[in-house]
Amino acid sequence: MKAINVGIIGVSGYTGLELVKMLISHPIFNLVYCANTEGATTVSDLHPALMGVCDLNVEKVDIERTAQLCELVFLALPHKTAMQTAKGLLAKGLKVVDLSADYRLSQENYEAFYCEHEDLDNLSHAVYSIPELHGKRAEGAKLIANPGCHVTATLMALAPFLDHIDLSQPIFVDSKTGVSGAGKSPSATVHYVSVNDNINCYNIIKHRHATEIEQHASALCDGSVKVTFVPSLVPMTRGMLACVYATLKDDCDPLALMEAFYNGKPFVRLRKAPPHTKMTSGTNFADVYATRHGNALVAMCAIDNLMRGASSQALANANIMMGLDETLGIPRIAYVP
Amino acid sequence: MKAINVGIIGVSGYTGLELVKMLISHPIFNLVYCANTEGATTVSDLHPALMGVCDLNVEKVDIERTAQLCELVFLALPHKTAMQTAKGLLAKGLKVVDLSADYRLSQENYEAFYCEHEDLDNLSHAVYSIPELHGKRAEGAKLIANPGCHVTATLMALAPFLDHIDLSQPIFVDSKTGVSGAGKSPSATVHYVSVNDNINCYNIIKHRHATEIEQHASALCDGSVKVTFVPSLVPMTRGMLACVYATLKDDCDPLALMEAFYNGKPFVRLRKAPPHTKMTSGTNFADVYATRHGNALVAMCAIDNLMRGASSQALANANIMMGLDETLGIPRIAYVP
Amino acid sequence: MKAINVGIIGVSGYTGLELVKMLISHPIFNLVYCANTEGATTVSDLHPALMGVCDLNVEKVDIERTAQLCELVFLALPHKTAMQTAKGLLAKGLKVVDLSADYRLSQENYEAFYCEHEDLDNLSHAVYSIPELHGKRAEGAKLIANPGCHVTATLMALAPFLDHIDLSQPIFVDSKTGVSGAGKSPSATVHYVSVNDNINCYNIIKHRHATEIEQHASALCDGSVKVTFVPSLVPMTRGMLACVYATLKDDCDPLALMEAFYNGKPFVRLRKAPPHTKMTSGTNFADVYATRHGNALVAMCAIDNLMRGASSQALANANIMMGLDETLGIPRIAYVP
Amino acid sequence: MKAINVGIIGVSGYTGLELVKMLISHPIFNLVYCANTEGATTVSDLHPALMGVCDLNVEKVDIERTAQLCELVFLALPHKTAMQTAKGLLAKGLKVVDLSADYRLSQENYEAFYCEHEDLDNLSHAVYSIPELHGKRAEGAKLIANPGCHVTATLMALAPFLDHIDLSQPIFVDSKTGVSGAGKSPSATVHYVSVNDNINCYNIIKHRHATEIEQHASALCDGSVKVTFVPSLVPMTRGMLACVYATLKDDCDPLALMEAFYNGKPFVRLRKAPPHTKMTSGTNFADVYATRHGNALVAMCAIDNLMRGASSQALANANIMMGLDETLGIPRIAYVP
């Protein structure tokens, strides 16, 4: 099959790094262009673990040059910068997979939590896609809005039950995340001494991902889903475990229902016991589990926040977008022990 | 004030160690006797961190000798062994603070989750006590049933709201614990490689502490409280964070209500933001917080699982039992940074 | 090229798991047989991270059946059991790569530190091989004695300097290892609570790897190398950093010398600053660095203890043994961030 | 005994926090003044773990006001700021314990590694003191130069052997430190993701503490001691383990020699096996061990880098300075398990 030249803009961070790691051995995508805000460096200078493995130059972002070299671009940029960059790339006819929040929400929801939206035209056709929940809707898209990590884990735990829970009762989401989700920039929050031997919830209820969950859960069931979202920061580098707590309105068997819902999906594993995040580390797997206690539903999904929660899902979406097999070049072998 | 001679039976484990650490500088209690199953060792051989600090002999458990030396005994033993030992000590007229589960539950609940109860006589007068919730009921008691760690954290988050939540709707408890809660015995579960960079739920719904929560929450409100209990194992040595999720039936202000409820309590700190477990590490503090989202209640309590969740609460109970100030010899300075 | 059927005996442990992870995507080796002492299970039951990725049956060890199915076998067994198994396999004409210590030492050294040697015939032709130090000596071998982790890291730091250091002066090796090196069996030593937030040296000077270092360093320089070996246990899952301290007898430039020594080696990376173990995690890379301070030599090598220190080096040796390219199927992309 | 009013300038960092934790229960020192660069806050706002335990105001540094309130001041400031502040305080007649590097080195050594020295007058009478090595020299001093963490651990391992080792041969110091030694400011180096599951050496040979070791080791033996210093960053919050490697010139028994050297010292514990840093966590203990292998010396010292490596040693020095018992208010009970 013909190679497709791709680029990564925003290659300095963790999700950029994960994209590089996958793209350098992808059978169709050919990584030809890496850029960040400053340029004048190489992938292995930014990420010394890749010394001798990927020593590509990293250039200063340049829309013109990107368009000359690439057919498809992954954007691993902060919100706002992402839409400013995507706009130009899309105008040049490139395909874009955006890992930021910029195209994930309705204008109203976006502007309530982020900033003024500067690219409403493209927002109108951006495709939000978790492959197991949204099917092939990414196929042929020009712009993918790649979902957030907490949102992916939550929706994958919640989706099978949307028709079985009482939406008028509270839905609680207790989502535990590793530190890499906070990004590479140093801050008091990610100081080793603050994180180690500690656990705490943060941004509860008001977290931006709560709105993203609500918008996309509502779309999935054509109803109005409200969630009470409580994320916590766990002393681990990567991994995410979303626990969804809701009230069932029928006598379904949650595990059987989940099994039927995800039957045949290559990147979902139904566990017979609560999943361990470590089992998914470095992969695109979502390990799911559910049970009930009277009318109380407990549904869980464990993922790698950087992979299924960002980069490997972006790559799966890119595969689908370009008409390729969803699984091409997507890691399945976990970072264990 | 006159010194009171005390002993610890079951000094080998983590809760025994914590008791030693506090008792060697307690102003009234005089630690004169330490025992475990094997004997023939010393406290500092069992716990090398105490070399030069506490080199007391550790003897093989002997009821007769305990009775000669001590007025009060802390039992840090596995369940079943605890009641077998307590029975003999109580028959000799000693006061007992039992850290095991043996006197925490009704016979029916106990036998459903543990084993046959062998000391129903003493079970009938054992006093279960979280000082802030049960007041001075420990005063003058002969036998304290010291509460479990998950239970303490959960009840302290839940208790202020028992009259304000709809008990007919699910109450979820998502309780995150450090590894020391699993005890000192080696096992696959506590292997460093299993725990590090991982999080997972375990024994969900069926955990023994669920029953303890239900029995004692029900007693506090004279109602029938059912909880869906989901504990998780966090890669940290100590610390526990219980998050309680329930449905409010009135328009109370959760934080104000919590503040009023715990007003003046020396070991409860109302936080203005979700608490960090590390802030309570090594102390008897319970750091609490609550908020609402519509009719959804989120209430939290962070404790040190070995201290407030076991040994320091046991010591506070012992203080009250003996008519002393609850705060005597109880640590308040956290293990930070 | 024609596929080669291979097996793993001792698939339950960490090094067995690493072998599986590599072999399932090796272009020539075809993993057809997995065994352990008990059998009657599957790879993914033993290693739940591999659910859906490798669900091969795991059988009880059976020499006859191994011989029917395999051309080459990896032994990831405890010492003693390894030689007992290897003996039978070699008698059947199979090729064996042994990851244990059983064929690494002379009879005299082996029996001083382990037990009576039960397979002297095969010991006589076993090939000890670190490819960069021993070249193609593994080619055509029947039995590979795969080097120990501390030994690999130490020899790779030390080897370039053997002709430049004063062997009559002490050579110190301070080697820091992650916990997975201690194996999967639960013990007090690997209890999370013992390891976390702690560092300590163990088995200093008397560690079995000291002898292995001395025997093979001596062989490399045809001299008598004595080392003072001080390993320490670091709170991390994987990774190893050997620091070699010795007295230089000439005015060599250590970094230039190291560069020349490892020039063109695909799995050695010369670092311009002290290496981080994390940069090699999950790969076969040895990241090396050296400098001097007067006549004091400081030479370092960082590896992944389970990969270069065991399984990926075993696979590289198997590749060479079978006349294949050393790099086939060997991971180069690190487990970062 | 009469209370002595003391202050802490630079209360925001980790060593400031440790000073507060000790001073609030010191029997003689009365903490009356806390300051930092910005002021207008409280101790518990800076260090939320102390909420309800120490809610003292934190003022903007003011020499005049310090002099009105305090007799003795601890400076937990960055170098340079420390001497600028100390100068003023000393001019007002206050006693000063400086935890920075500003008065630890000769002018020549200081200026080679830090900056121009701005307070040579006070440098000339500053007393550098590790109580076990320097005896009562702190008594009556006006200014204490409190030793660095790596230096304290190294000198305590090395000092007993200074007359027994060949100073013409290399002395290697491999010193492993927890992350809190890098201070509270966020940076790439202390990002949780950089530290976790990783170990690396840093600033080798050129570390500022190397000079401090050499100057003070030389002073102790009236010789010229050169060291090759190799620090490493260990994924743990606190703790330090210095391993000293040198060449013995006589046939001494290192452990016996160490025992004699530290006989009767209340804060040194001779271990029969290599010490664990965790055993000293939260205390002023130095746990030491030594052995030999031929003429190779291995000597170790484990400390808590923030306590014996900074704040508790500062307090011990302050006790001695004021004619008090060295042990007053100094923690001995470790943060275990």
Side-chain angles (χ1 to χ4, degrees), chain D residues 5-9 19 23 30-35 66 69-75:
Chain D
N5 286 341
V6 305
I8 302 169
I9 297 182
L19 286 167
L23 288 170
N30 187 17
L31 180 62
V32 295
Y33 177 75
C34 289
T66 314
L69 293 171
C70 306
E71 190 170 338
L72 166 69
V73 180
F74 295 88
L75 299 185

Side-chain angles (χ1 to χ4, degrees), chain A residues 89-140:
Chain A
L89 295 167
L90 289 160
K92 294 277 177 191
L94 277 77
K95 301 255 188 180
V96 173
V97 178
D98 178 31
L99 282 76
S100 86
D102 282 352
Y103 300 96
R104 293 178 191 161
L105 299 174
S106 68
Q107 179 186 0
E108 187 186 344
N109 283 337
Y110 184 84
E111 296 189 345
F113 284 87
Y114 294 89
C115 57
E116 193 188 350
H117 204 290
E118 304 178 18
D119 187 22
L120 295 174
D121 282 355
N122 288 313
L123 178 59
S124 68
H125 65 81
V127 174
Y128 187 90
S129 167
I130 296 174
E132 291 83 355
L133 305 187
H134 300 112
K136 293 284 180 199
R137 76 152 73 150
E139 200 168 329

Side-chain angles (χ1 to χ4, degrees), chain D residues 4-8 29 66 70-74 94-97 142 318-319 321-322:
Chain D
I4 297 170
N5 286 341
V6 305
I8 302 169
F29 293 149
T66 314
C70 306
E71 190 170 338
L72 166 69
V73 180
F74 295 88
L94 277 77
K95 302 256 188 179
V96 173
V97 178
K142 289 176 180 159
N319 283 337
M321 192 184 202
M322 305 306 282

Side-chain angles (χ1 to χ4, degrees), chain C residues 169-294:
Chain C
Q169 293 297 324
I171 301 172
F172 298 96
V173 179
D174 185 310
S175 186
K176 296 119 180 119
T177 181
V179 182
S180 57
K184 203 176 171 180
S185 299
S187 71
T189 303
V190 299
H191 194 302
Y192 184 84
V193 171
S194 305
V195 173
N196 186 35
D197 253 314
N198 191 21
I199 186 167
N200 66 286
C201 301
Y202 65 97
N203 280 356
I204 72 171
I205 297 170
K206 296 175 200 321
H207 194 290
R208 290 157 166 184
H209 282 190
T211 305
E212 191 181 328
I213 294 168
E214 292 181 343
Q215 178 177 323
H216 292 286
S218 298
L220 285 171
C221 68
D222 210 18
S224 171
V225 179
K226 293 284 165 204
V227 299
T228 299
F229 183 62
V230 182
S232 54
L233 185 66
V234 179
M236 57 185 189
T237 293
R238 49 206 298 163
M240 177 168 278
L241 176 63
C243 296
V244 171
Y245 303 119
T247 306
L248 288 163
K249 62 184 183 192
D250 61 26
D251 61 353
C252 66
D253 171 345
L255 204 57
L257 207 148
M258 216 165 202
E259 185 165 28
F261 189 89
Y262 287 118
N263 185 31
K265 301 299 183 194
F267 291 118
V268 180
R269 298 189 291 198
L270 188 83
R271 293 285 181 180
K272 297 283 163 52
H276 291 228
T277 55
K278 182 89 183 187
M279 305 294 99
T280 67
S281 184
T283 78
N284 193 50
F285 281 117
D287 282 10
V288 296
Y289 174 76
T291 189
R292 66 186 300 159
H293 182 226

Side-chain angles (χ1 to χ4, degrees), chain B residues 46-69:
Chain B
L46 289 172
H47 304 294
L50 295 185
M51 179 185 176
V53 177
C54 177
D55 300 308
L56 270 178
N57 286 329
V58 174
E59 306 180 15
K60 195 176 156 95
V61 183
D62 180 327
I63 302 290
E64 204 62 53
R65 186 159 156 73
T66 313
Q68 284 162 6
L69 294 171

Side-chain angles (χ1 to χ4, degrees), chain C:
Chain C
M1 196 167 181
K2 196 166 136 282
I4 298 170
N5 286 341
V6 305
I8 302 169
I9 297 182
V11 80
S12 316
Y14 298 143
T15 56
L17 168 57
E18 293 294 3
L19 286 167
V20 172
K21 285 163 57 187
M22 291 182 289
L23 288 170
I24 54 180
S25 43
H26 194 280
I28 304 292
F29 294 148
N30 187 18
L31 180 61
V32 295
Y33 178 72
C34 288
N36 69 3
T37 322
E38 300 81 20
T41 183
T42 67
V43 168
S44 53
D45 279 344
L46 290 171
H47 305 294
L50 296 185
M51 178 185 176
V53 177
C54 176
D55 300 307
L56 271 178
N57 286 328
V58 174
E59 306 180 13
K60 196 176 156 95
V61 182
D62 180 326
I63 301 291
E64 205 61 51
R65 184 158 157 74
T66 313
Q68 284 162 5
L69 294 171
C70 304
E71 189 171 339
L72 166 69
V73 181
F74 294 88
L75 299 185
L77 293 167
H79 75 92
K80 194 170 180 184
T81 311
M83 63 185 159
Q84 290 164 346
T85 311
K87 203 174 182 174
L89 294 168
L90 289 159
K92 296 276 179 189
L94 276 77
K95 302 255 188 179
V96 173
V97 178
D98 178 30
L99 281 77
S100 87
D102 281 352
Y103 300 96
R104 294 178 190 161
L105 299 174
S106 68
Q107 179 186 1
E108 186 186 345
N109 283 338
Y110 184 84
E111 296 188 344
F113 284 86
Y114 294 89
C115 57
E116 193 188 350
H117 205 290
E118 304 177 17
D119 186 22
L120 295 175
D121 282 356
N122 288 314
L123 178 58
S124 69
H125 65 80
V127 173
Y128 187 91
S129 166
I130 296 173
E132 292 84 353
L133 306 187
H134 300 111
K136 294 284 179 199
R137 76 151 74 152
E139 200 168 330
K142 289 176 180 157
L143 170 60
I144 299 286
N146 203 59
C149 52
H150 284 298
V151 189
T152 298
T154 300
L155 290 181
M156 294 191 76
L158 176 60
F161 304 104
L162 282 168
D163 292 344
H164 301 266
I165 60 183
D166 183 346
L167 297 178
S168 71
Q169 293 297 324
I171 301 172
F172 298 96
V173 179
D174 185 310
S175 186
K176 296 119 180 119
T177 181
V179 182
S180 57
K184 203 176 171 180
S185 299
S187 71
T189 303
V190 299
H191 194 302
Y192 184 84
V193 171
S194 305
V195 173
N196 186 35
D197 253 314
N198 191 21
I199 186 167
N200 66 286
C201 301
Y202 65 97
N203 280 356
I204 72 171
I205 297 170
K206 296 175 200 321
H207 194 290
R208 290 157 166 184
H209 282 190
T211 305
E212 191 181 328
I213 294 168
E214 292 181 343
Q215 178 177 323
H216 292 286
S218 298
L220 285 171
C221 68
D222 210 18
S224 171
V225 179
K226 293 284 165 204
V227 299
T228 299
F229 183 62
V230 182
S232 54
L233 185 66
V234 179
M236 57 185 189
T237 293
R238 49 206 298 163
M240 177 168 278
L241 176 63
C243 296
V244 171
Y245 303 119
T247 306
L248 288 163
K249 62 184 183 192
D250 61 26
D251 61 353
C252 66
D253 171 345
L255 204 57
L257 207 148
M258 216 165 202
E259 185 165 28
F261 189 89
Y262 287 118
N263 185 31
K265 301 299 183 194
F267 291 118
V268 180
R269 298 189 291 198
L270 188 83
R271 293 285 181 180
K272 297 283 163 52
H276 291 228
T277 55
K278 182 89 183 187
M279 305 294 99
T280 67
S281 184
T283 78
N284 193 50
F285 281 117
D287 282 10
V288 296
Y289 174 76
T291 189
R292 66 186 300 159
H293 182 226
N295 64 337
L297 171 72
V298 177
M300 296 179 185
C301 177
I303 62 170
D304 182 322
N305 58 304
L306 294 177
M307 294 294 282
R308 169 58 84 135
S311 302
S312 68
Q313 184 153 278
L315 182 54
N317 278 327
N319 284 337
I320 297 170
M321 192 185 202
M322 305 307 282
L324 305 173
D325 181 326
E326 176 190 341
T327 66
L328 277 189
I330 309 280
R332 293 162 49 86
I333 301 181
Y335 292 175
V336 285

